[in-house]
Amino acid sequence: FLGNPVGLFNNISSGVADIFYEPYQGLVMTDRPQELGIGIAKGASSFVKKSVFGFSDSMAKFTGSMSKGLAAATLDKEYQDQRRMSKSRNRPKHALYGVTSGGNAFASSMASGIGGLARHPLQGAEKEGLPGFVKGVGKGFLGLATKPAIGAFDLASNMAEGVRNTTTVFDAEGLDRVRLTRFIGLDGIVRPYAQREALGQFWLKTLEDGKYFHEDYIAHLELPGKDMMVMLTYNRIMLVKTKKLKMEWDIKLNDIQTISKERTGMGVTLKGGTNGPFIPVEEESSRNWLYRQIGVAEYKDNYRKQRNDFRSDPRASPELQAWRNLDNDYDYQLLNPGGKAFVHASLVGKGSEGVKPWAKADTYFSEYAEHYPPDLILSESHHSYIIGNKASYDGRQYPPALAEKRPEGQGYCHTLVIPKARVYNAVDPLATFDDCFVLRELRAHFFEFWSKMKNREAMLARAYKALKERKSALIDKGPRPAEYTDAVNTAVFLSFQRMKSVFKQLKAEEDFTFGFHVFPDNTIGHLHMHVFPHGNDLREYSTKSYDSKTVPLQAILDVEDEDQRPKSSSSSASSSAEPQSTQDESSNGFQASVYGVLELGHLCDTPTFATHPPLRHASDGRPESARTAPRDRPNLGALLGADLGPVSVRVAKVAKLE
């Protein structure tokens, strides 16, 4: 508050000493008389310089303290953050710069004080109604009284700081920061320094004079030749002018319904169906990378909350144990709310000819091969099945007038991958046990399946069959809806044929969404991974109503990795041959006991398909084998006494397309 009186005294006293010391040095060190004159000049110059430095430094700190105290009195956190960021970015290096930066600070404070008269009451009314409006009026008048004074003090402080720095402008440079502050993610793990991430974090913190200082950085993408970049945080997507660090537009992730990839960028659809801004990313690999980053960011926090809510429920552990033991007498209040997640009560004890009848504790995907004919299975591995969606992917075959409960699929040739084991959902501890082995195996199965062209033909045949079955239900069995005209029917099958060639050329690692409907958003109480292409042209006639609840696989893997890696580095998990359970510390101490899962039978601790390139993990970029071996925790195969026999994939016979 008093400036820097000690520093002022030291500077002036040092300057006075130099008046006598410099001439003495010149006279003693040499015998030349002219050195005495040079010493007198040096001493006088040092006295003036240090006196000016001391007085200006003291004035800068005094006025800075006054403005800082008044800023706290405004009760306007947004204004305080912007002022702090502006001061850190605009340190005056000389007197002229001090005048200009001080003038800008004064003008900004005046504008904020006047504008706050209207802004604060409106913001308060929006948040708290009438009490908020009254508070806003008070805050507005308080700002009107204090912010101009803050601006005046900032003007004086900047001018004084500029004068102070002018006295040292020709001095030797001090230590400067060589690189920007390291980016550390929310997981708290310190990774090797990345200049790109550090720059992105710096841009975010300084954007709009610190308006987004408290946002958590995820990623950014510079748009070549446009002086623009896309900035992604855990709360929003922004398009930013790179040079001026000014925002073009800003969308909260909570307001987004869908994001679809197109040929020249990405389209945004807001909740309610209105079109959002277009993200112009022309380069395909950059578009795919940004799409994955956005998908992961949007769902990570939601998944973590849903997982923890489920595992902290006292009903979860006993109900999972009973369900895995096929207990048909148990009252499943959590796993089967309203009787919707298991098979309908009217089907219990019944079944098609030649298949196992349904039991009370069954879901529509439990022991799949025992309840359905084999031609519905597109592929079978030791651990999972790939099945086609029985529903048509084309929404035109589900006219709104019918108000059907089973809508169209989420994309062209929508497919499901389901584990053979009784794994309830992605929140089930068995799903994320042993570095998410079950989830990774589902994806690995599809990667191997997609690598063969005949399997792509099998997917097309299954989707075509669903179209025909839906057509038959609408036309042959009737009554035929008026909306489903012959022209619409023809268009449905023509579009299927048109998209076939595009579909066959897709890349499994880049062009598909792998997602889960996480409890309590699931409709079937058995883990199943949705697989569908995320290109806008291949989703043109499919439903997007489920997109907001379809959590990407990578989001789940990242959350589990973030929650487990800090602890696993210092833990020493037991390698006993017969462990009974594993503690999931990230979910309120839920005991992830493996209850009666002998149905798995074939789970092993190695990647399922050795012929496919190693799976890569987004958080550290290392191959899967490098992350999981050697293991420091019990593996699922050993835990279950699994049969580690050779891996094989059985593919259904490809039906001929009509």
Side-chain angles (χ1 to χ4, degrees), residues 272-350:
T274 58
N275 291 327
F278 184 77
I279 306 175
V281 185
E282 298 181 2
E283 208 275 317
E284 183 179 7
S285 61
S286 297
R287 190 163 60 246
N288 292 334
W289 177 84
L290 181 62
Y291 183 88
R292 290 194 295 270
Q293 295 297 320
I294 293 173
V296 169
E298 187 174 1
Y299 295 102
K300 283 172 69 173
D301 288 343
N302 289 340
Y303 164 72
R304 182 180 276 111
K305 181 180 185 303
Q306 289 172 297
R307 179 201 64 184
N308 291 346
D309 286 348
F310 176 85
R311 297 185 187 180
S312 62
D313 193 305
R315 298 171 295 178
S317 179
E319 288 195 20
L320 283 175
Q321 180 176 6
W323 181 67
R324 292 204 226 281
N325 288 332
L326 285 75
D327 188 341
N328 292 309
D329 297 322
Y330 199 93
D331 182 15
Y332 298 97
Q333 297 180 2
L334 179 66
L335 302 191
N336 190 30
K340 297 179 180 179
F342 292 2
V343 296
H344 194 271
S346 62
L347 297 177
V348 174
K350 302 177 182 178

Side-chain angles (χ1 to χ4, degrees), residues 312-632:
S312 62
D313 193 305
R315 298 171 295 178
S317 179
E319 288 195 20
L320 283 175
Q321 180 176 6
W323 181 67
R324 292 204 226 281
N325 288 332
L326 285 75
D327 188 341
N328 292 309
D329 297 322
Y330 199 93
D331 182 15
Y332 298 97
Q333 297 180 2
L334 179 66
L335 302 191
N336 190 30
K340 297 179 180 179
F342 292 2
V343 296
H344 194 271
S346 62
L347 297 177
V348 174
K350 302 177 182 178
S352 302
E353 184 177 353
V355 299
K356 182 181 178 181
W358 296 107
K360 178 185 175 182
D362 284 336
T363 73
Y364 292 106
F365 292 158
S366 302
E367 294 79 47
Y368 189 88
E370 299 179 16
H371 295 289
Y372 295 95
D375 62 337
L376 295 180
I377 300 175
L378 297 177
S379 175
E380 177 183 1
S381 74
H382 281 298
H383 326 296
S384 57
Y385 300 110
I386 296 178
I387 62 175
N389 197 339
K390 295 182 67 176
S392 163
Y393 71 85
D394 197 314
R396 291 172 292 184
Q397 290 192 312
Y398 294 90
L402 295 182
E404 300 253 4
K405 292 183 179 179
R406 188 181 67 183
E408 66 273 26
Q410 290 183 257
Y412 187 77
C413 293
H414 184 165
T415 303
L416 303 174
V417 189
I418 58 177
K420 293 180 177 179
R422 282 208 163 207
V423 184
Y424 178 74
N425 188 262
V427 297
D428 186 334
L430 190 57
T432 57
F433 183 81
D434 195 24
D435 198 23
C436 300
F437 172 81
V438 171
L439 302 182
R440 294 178 187 276
E441 195 283 329
L442 299 181
R443 182 175 61 179
H445 186 179
F446 184 82
F447 280 171
E448 174 67 12
F449 174 79
W450 185 257
S451 66
K452 298 178 177 60
M453 184 58 68
K454 64 179 182 179
N455 296 343
R456 305 181 192 186
E457 293 284 357
M459 288 182 66
L460 288 165
R462 175 62 253 184
Y464 186 76
K465 183 178 181 181
L467 291 178
K468 289 187 63 179
E469 290 176 346
R470 185 60 186 163
K471 170 193 170 185
S472 176
L474 290 171
I475 296 178
D476 300 337
K477 299 179 181 178
R480 180 175 180 172
E483 300 99 318
Y484 197 69
T485 63
D486 290 338
V488 172
N489 179 63
T490 301
V492 167
F493 287 89
L494 283 177
S495 67
F496 173 82
Q497 297 295 338
R498 186 183 72 250
M499 291 187 285
K500 279 173 54 179
S501 59
V502 176
F503 180 74
K504 291 180 182 179
Q505 301 305 314
L506 299 180
K507 299 176 182 178
E509 298 87 345
E510 298 179 2
D511 298 321
F512 283 91
T513 291
F514 301 93
F516 299 86
H517 297 167
V518 175
F519 181 91
D521 295 329
N522 59 312
T523 53
I524 296 179
H526 186 100
L527 181 68
H528 54 286
M529 182 173 73
H530 297 265
V531 182
F532 53 88
H534 46 229
N536 195 49
D537 51 344
L538 292 170
R539 300 194 67 202
E540 182 177 0
Y541 302 110
S542 300
T543 182
K544 297 180 176 62
S545 59
Y546 292 155
D547 287 10
S548 60
K549 71 173 186 178
T550 304
V551 179
L553 169 62
Q554 194 60 55
I556 298 175
L557 297 181
D558 281 357
V559 168
E560 296 299 328
D561 186 64
E562 290 169 7
D563 290 352
Q564 295 296 334
R565 284 183 64 183
K567 291 182 281 291
S568 64
S569 61
S570 60
S571 63
S572 55
S574 170
S575 58
S576 172
E578 296 181 358
Q580 297 301 312
S581 65
T582 179
Q583 183 75 22
D584 185 347
E585 297 178 6
S586 69
S587 52
N588 302 309
F590 187 97
Q591 293 290 331
S593 302
V594 185
Y595 303 118
V597 284
L598 297 179
E599 304 86 63
L600 276 129
H602 302 288
L603 277 175
C604 61
D605 64 332
T606 56
T608 307
F609 303 106
T611 58
H612 193 275
L615 301 181
R616 303 187 69 83
H617 195 278
S619 61
D620 57 13
R622 292 179 290 156
E624 179 70 11
S625 57
R627 295 186 65 253
T628 58
R631 295 177 181 270
D632 58 357

Side-chain angles (χ1 to χ4, degrees), residues 120-122 124-137:
H120 290 306
L122 291 176
E126 184 178 351
K127 292 181 179 178
E128 302 179 32
L130 182 59
F133 177 81
V134 175
K135 292 179 183 177
V137 171

